[in-house]
Amino acid sequence: MLTAFPLMIVPFVLYNIAMFGIVGFGGPEWLASEVTSLQMVSGAIWTLSFGDLIIIIALVMLFAEIVKATRTGPFQIVDHLLSLVVFLVFLIEFLLFQSAATDVFFILTAIAFVDVAAGFTVALRSASRDVSIGLGR
């Protein structure tokens, strides 16, 4: 049942913790706060903000969700439905809450949509292959 857990909820929770200051600090300015910076060979300084870090985490979660979608099993439909619910929560928060009207949250919403679309697409392709394997006997 743990494989049906929608991983895109992780960046959703991180964003909301950052925006609503659950840990004592937050707000839109915190998304722009610097996590790390590196001096590149070219001499430019590359900085990673907290908002960028949340997007990177979301992309890693998206990869894991796509890998999960390739497996067949009893909880596959539940996993896709929960991912759809997470996307809808992203979309509703983006449309209704002022603190979610940021470029970072929009990108997270787009990643959640890709998760839903890719999950259903990969699952349908995998299911069609599973059915065709049993027909050759």
Side-chain angles (χ1 to χ4, degrees):
M1 183 66 182
L2 286 176
T3 58
F5 180 76
L7 297 176
M8 285 304 296
I9 205 160
V10 172
F12 179 80
V13 169
L14 287 175
Y15 182 89
N16 283 311
I17 287 172
M19 289 308 290
F20 297 115
I22 295 173
V23 291
F25 46 85
E29 61 279 347
W30 199 60
L31 284 176
S33 65
E34 182 179 308
V35 174
T36 188
S37 64
L38 296 171
Q39 181 154 356
M40 307 302 285
V41 176
S42 65
I45 296 177
W46 174 75
T47 60
L48 180 70
S49 69
F50 186 72
D52 298 335
L53 182 61
I54 293 175
I55 291 171
I56 291 169
I57 291 169
L59 289 171
V60 171
M61 296 295 122
L62 175 63
F63 174 74
E65 284 286 344
I66 291 173
V67 170
K68 279 181 14 182
T70 62
R71 296 185 308 190
T72 57
F75 296 111
Q76 184 180 19
I77 298 295
V78 174
D79 182 34
H80 296 312
L81 290 176
L82 290 174
S83 292
L84 180 62
V85 168
V86 169
F87 166 67
L88 291 174
V89 171
F90 264 104
L91 186 62
I92 290 168
E93 186 169 338
F94 179 70
L95 295 173
L96 297 181
F97 294 96
Q98 188 174 6
S99 61
T102 64
D103 55 345
V104 172
F105 198 80
F106 176 77
I107 293 169
L108 292 176
T109 304
I111 292 171
F113 174 74
V114 170
D115 173 30
V116 171
F120 279 115
T121 304
V122 169
L124 289 174
R125 298 285 294 182
S126 297
S128 68
R129 288 191 181 127
D130 284 348
V131 170
S132 65
I133 290 172
L135 296 176
R137 292 184 186 182

